[in-house]
């Protein structure tokens, strides 16, 4: 266990967070808000801790997936604790638990809020909420990989631990260059959306914050009505970009290289668009009752399907009032989620496709026991270990879901509230149904429920296993033995 390198990564993350905290300081300065001093204080403390932990780079900078998982999980926890301090100190959110919940929800791009009135908050606080989506969407460690050098396969182990999806591949031979390309695409799409929103007449700061929320597929709104109070044009713009940010970023890389056939033939991307179209059609047929025009109904349906499929969580209407069939479809797409390699949450379309193909192969085996059927993705055969890993992930997901569902059920809320609260946090969706619906919030839940859901948000964003590794006794036993050996070596040197 390369503990020195884990500490160095944590320090580097704190330095990056200190830099990011300067942006809400600037917003507070422009608007003359007193809350700015708390961002300054937090930035100074974060920078000081960062330089203390990462002041000297360890001699051995190589580490493996185990250290990558530990570094990633601890980084997101530390980043969230530090990030919640301006909320707490400014008393915008007086409870530390609530401030931490809001921050974790922001960084994990969940968008589940404990706030009932966001319009009374200072602009700098609102900016930090939305900016946390943009930071967490691509991942702070991916940003770190783009700017700091590491040795050997260490880059890949960090990226594998943080990036959403069943597999992480290099776009170019060097992982550091891959991280830069990903952030260039991410930044570029954010700017394009910002321009379209400004064309629609949205104020600059609001347009910037909505772009952050869309890009990170987070969903923190700056108005109590979420996106419902904006024009149809703006709602369509946000809906389109939610879908775009849910696409595997590899497709955009192929488009930049003018390899259009490869980009548009990606099996996962085609499945993603097909699910969105099918879900929208089914819900439209189910809810259309001529109380509003077909065009308005279509806009609201496409918006909500795009929002929940990509785990963004913005809303234009209270979909909790829709018929049961429509809500069932929404729950199904909440489970599925967006593409791997995107900023969206959920199980991911690629995993669902692999699970479906595995079921079909088993059915074929019953009919033709001697046949040998290979499962392929993107016309490439998958080895058994990749297929098994999808099954293990799905099983682990169900286990965490079940335990979390039981724990928050102890609070005594109704079944629909408990089920969708876990579903939306574990899949980083945002709003659920009933007491945690699009017009409600998570503020009324107990402290125990909030900490359970905070764990779910972190586990869901980090693909479950980096968070679970922290609770494995063998990890801490190895860390203790490693520290023991290091102390013995230092003693002998003296």
């Amino acid at each position: 266990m390369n503990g020195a390198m884990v500490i160095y990564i944590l320090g580097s993350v704190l330095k990056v967070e200190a830099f990011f905290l300067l942006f809400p300081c600037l917003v507070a300065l422009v608007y003359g808000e007193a809350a700015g001093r708390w961002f300054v204080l937090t930035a100074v403390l974060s920078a000081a801790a960062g330089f203390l932990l990462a002041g000297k780079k360890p001699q051995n900078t190589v580490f493996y997936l185990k250290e990558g998982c530990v570094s990633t999980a601890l980084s997101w926890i530390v980043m969230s604790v530090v990030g919640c301090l301006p909320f707490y100190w400014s008393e915008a959110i007086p409870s530390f638990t609530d401030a931490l919940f809001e921050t974790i929800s922001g960084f994990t791009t969940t968008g589940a809020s404990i706030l009932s009135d966001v319009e009374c908050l200072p602009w700098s606080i609102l900016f930090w909420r939305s900016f946390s989506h943009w930071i967490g969407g691509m991942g702070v460690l991916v940003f770190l990989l783009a700017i700091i050098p590491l040795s050997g396969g260490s880059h890949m182990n960090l990226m594998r631990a943080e990036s959403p999806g069943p597999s992480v591949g290099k776009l170019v031979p060097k992982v550091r260059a891959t991280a830069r390309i990903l952030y260039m695409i991410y930044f570029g799409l954010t700017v394009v959306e910002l321009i379209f929103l400004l064309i629609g007449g949205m104020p600059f700061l609001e347009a910037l914050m909505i772009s952050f929320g869309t890009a990170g597929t987070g969903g923190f709104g700056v108005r109590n009505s979420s996106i419902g109070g904006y024009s149809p044009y703006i709602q369509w713009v946000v809906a389109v970009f939610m879908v775009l940010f849910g696409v595997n970023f590899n497709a955009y890389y192929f488009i930049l290289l003018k390899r259009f056939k490869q980009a548009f033939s990606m099996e996962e991307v085609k499945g993603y668009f097909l699910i969105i179209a099918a879900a929208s059609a089914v819900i439209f047929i189910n809810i259309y009752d001529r109380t509003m025009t077909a065009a308005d109904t279509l806009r609201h349906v496409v918006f909500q399907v795009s929002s929940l499929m990509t785990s963004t969580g913005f809303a234009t209407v209270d979909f909790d009032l829709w018929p049961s069939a429509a809500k069932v479809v929404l729950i199904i797409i909440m489970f599925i989620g967006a593409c791997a390699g995107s900023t969206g949450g959920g199980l991911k379309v690629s995993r669902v496709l692999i699970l479906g193909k595995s079921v079909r192969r088993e059915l074929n085996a019953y009919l033709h026991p001697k046949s040998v059927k290979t499962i392929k993705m993107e016309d490439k055969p998958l080895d058994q270990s990749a297929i098994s890993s999808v099954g293990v992930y799905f099983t682990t997901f169900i286990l965490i879901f079940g335990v979390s569902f039981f724990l928050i059920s102890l609070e005594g809320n109704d079944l629909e509230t408990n089920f969708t609260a876990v579903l939306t946090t574990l899949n980083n969706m945002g709003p659920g149904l009933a007491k945690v619906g699009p017009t409600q919030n998570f503020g009324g839940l107990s402290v125990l429920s909030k900490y359970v859901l905070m764990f779910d948000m972190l586990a869901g964003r980090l693909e479950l296993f980096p968070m679970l590794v922290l609770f494995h006794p063998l990890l801490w036993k190895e860390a203790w033995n490693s520290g023991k050996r290091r102390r013995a070596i230092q003693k002998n040197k003296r």
Side-chain angles (χ1 to χ4, degrees), residues 325-363:
K327 290 193 285 187
V328 168
V329 174
L330 291 178
I331 288 174
I332 291 172
I333 63 174
M334 285 181 191
F335 271 112
I336 296 172
C339 296
S342 71
T343 60
L347 289 171
K348 306 296 185 299
V349 174
S350 56
R351 283 197 183 98
V352 174
L353 290 174
I354 292 171
L355 283 171
K357 291 182 178 186
S358 299
V359 171
R360 185 173 65 182
R361 184 179 68 172
E362 292 303 312
L363 289 174

Side-chain angles (χ1 to χ4, degrees), residues 29-333:
L29 182 64
V30 170
Y31 286 90
E33 295 174 347
R37 67 179 183 270
W38 302 117
F39 286 105
V40 172
L41 177 59
T42 306
V44 170
L45 292 176
S46 183
F51 281 105
L52 183 65
L53 296 175
K56 184 180 179 182
K57 192 173 182 179
Q59 293 181 345
N60 178 18
T61 61
V62 177
F63 59 98
Y64 301 98
L65 184 58
K66 173 178 62 181
E67 287 91 345
C69 289
V70 173
S71 300
T72 300
L74 290 178
S75 293
W76 280 71
I77 292 170
V78 169
M79 184 171 65
S80 298
V81 171
V82 172
C84 82
L85 295 178
F87 293 148
Y88 180 59
W89 285 341
S90 68
E91 297 187 346
I93 305 178
S95 163
F96 179 80
T97 296
D98 286 349
L100 184 60
F101 185 97
E102 196 79 6
T103 308
I104 290 176
S105 181
F107 280 127
T108 59
T109 73
T110 304
S113 180
I114 52 84
L115 296 169
S116 58
D117 183 10
V118 297
E119 294 180 16
C120 68
L121 297 175
W123 285 111
S124 54
I125 294 292
L126 287 174
F127 180 88
W128 181 237
R129 285 175 80 239
S130 296
F131 192 39
S132 65
H133 282 333
W134 197 84
I135 296 169
M138 187 58 66
V140 69
L141 292 177
V142 174
F143 178 82
L144 206 59
L145 292 178
I147 59 175
I148 66 169
L150 294 175
S151 302
S154 303
H155 271 120
M156 199 62 192
N157 288 324
L158 268 183
M159 185 173 278
R160 284 179 62 192
E162 185 180 54
S163 298
S167 62
V168 177
K170 302 177 186 178
L171 298 179
V172 291
K174 293 186 177 180
V175 178
R176 192 177 179 188
T178 296
R180 288 176 176 173
I181 291 170
L182 289 173
Y183 254 98
M184 285 173 59
I185 295 171
Y186 189 50
F187 180 80
L189 281 173
T190 306
V191 171
V192 173
E193 182 187 0
L194 175 62
I195 292 171
F196 274 100
L197 292 177
L198 292 174
I199 291 172
M202 185 180 282
F204 176 78
L205 188 59
E206 286 189 44
L208 185 61
M209 291 188 287
I210 294 300
S211 297
F212 287 155
T214 309
T217 61
F220 277 153
V222 295
R223 295 186 181 180
N224 294 332
S225 60
S226 188
I227 309 297
Y230 295 106
S231 68
Y233 166 83
I234 287 176
Q235 292 176 7
W236 274 115
V237 168
V238 174
V240 168
F241 277 91
M242 285 191 294
V243 172
L244 293 178
F245 280 105
V247 172
N248 191 319
F249 274 41
N250 286 0
Y252 297 127
Y253 179 66
F254 293 141
I255 290 172
L256 290 175
L257 296 180
K258 298 183 179 179
R259 290 155 60 178
F260 300 109
K261 185 178 180 181
Q262 195 169 356
F264 296 119
S265 64
M266 290 179 67
E267 189 175 353
E268 182 185 28
V269 175
K270 289 191 292 186
Y272 168 71
F273 281 106
L274 181 62
I275 294 169
I276 289 176
S280 298
V282 171
I283 294 176
F284 178 84
I285 293 170
N286 184 240
I287 73 168
Y288 181 53
D289 59 2
R290 301 186 187 279
T291 56
M292 66 173 69
T293 65
D296 287 341
T297 303
L298 180 63
R299 184 180 75 254
H300 292 309
V301 168
V302 171
F303 190 97
Q304 293 313 145
V305 169
S306 302
S307 180
L308 296 181
M309 181 78 180
T310 60
S311 78
T312 307
F314 284 138
T316 56
V317 293
D318 185 1
F319 54 81
D320 194 25
L321 301 176
W322 285 358
S324 296
K327 290 193 285 187
V328 168
V329 174
L330 291 178
I331 288 174
I332 291 172
I333 63 174

Side-chain angles (χ1 to χ4, degrees), residues 343-491:
T343 60
L347 289 171
K348 306 296 185 299
V349 174
S350 56
R351 283 197 183 98
V352 174
L353 290 174
I354 292 171
L355 283 171
K357 291 182 178 186
S358 299
V359 171
R360 185 173 65 182
R361 184 179 68 172
E362 292 303 312
L363 289 174
N364 289 337
Y366 277 100
L367 299 174
H368 305 284
K370 294 183 180 180
S371 66
V372 178
K373 183 71 174 177
T374 303
I375 296 177
K376 295 183 178 181
M377 279 290 289
E378 313 298 346
D379 292 325
K380 296 178 182 178
L382 294 175
D383 56 38
Q384 191 55 43
S385 62
I387 299 169
S388 298
S389 68
V390 172
V392 170
Y393 182 92
F394 186 72
T395 303
T396 307
F397 179 93
I398 296 300
L399 287 173
I400 294 176
F401 188 98
V403 172
S404 300
F405 185 39
F406 169 75
L407 289 175
I408 71 164
S409 295
L410 298 174
E411 188 175 338
N413 286 316
D414 61 274
L415 184 67
E416 195 173 30
T417 296
N418 296 334
F419 185 86
T420 57
V422 176
L423 173 63
T424 57
T425 50
L426 191 53
N427 281 326
N428 305 128
M429 294 290 167
L433 299 173
K435 293 181 181 179
V436 292
T439 61
Q440 306 294 322
N441 61 74
F442 289 70
L445 299 180
S446 68
V447 172
L448 171 63
S449 294
K450 287 173 184 174
Y451 276 100
V452 170
L453 297 178
M454 279 189 257
F455 172 84
D456 289 345
M457 287 189 279
L458 288 166
R461 174 58 182 82
L462 301 180
E463 298 287 297
L464 307 185
F465 295 104
M467 284 300 294
L468 293 180
V469 163
L470 291 182
F471 296 90
H472 201 302
L474 185 60
L475 170 73
W476 300 108
K477 183 178 179 181
E478 289 183 4
W480 172 261
N481 291 336
S482 176
K484 198 174 180 180
R485 287 193 298 270
R486 186 169 59 252
R487 289 190 293 272
I489 292 172
Q490 291 174 349
K491 187 177 180 181

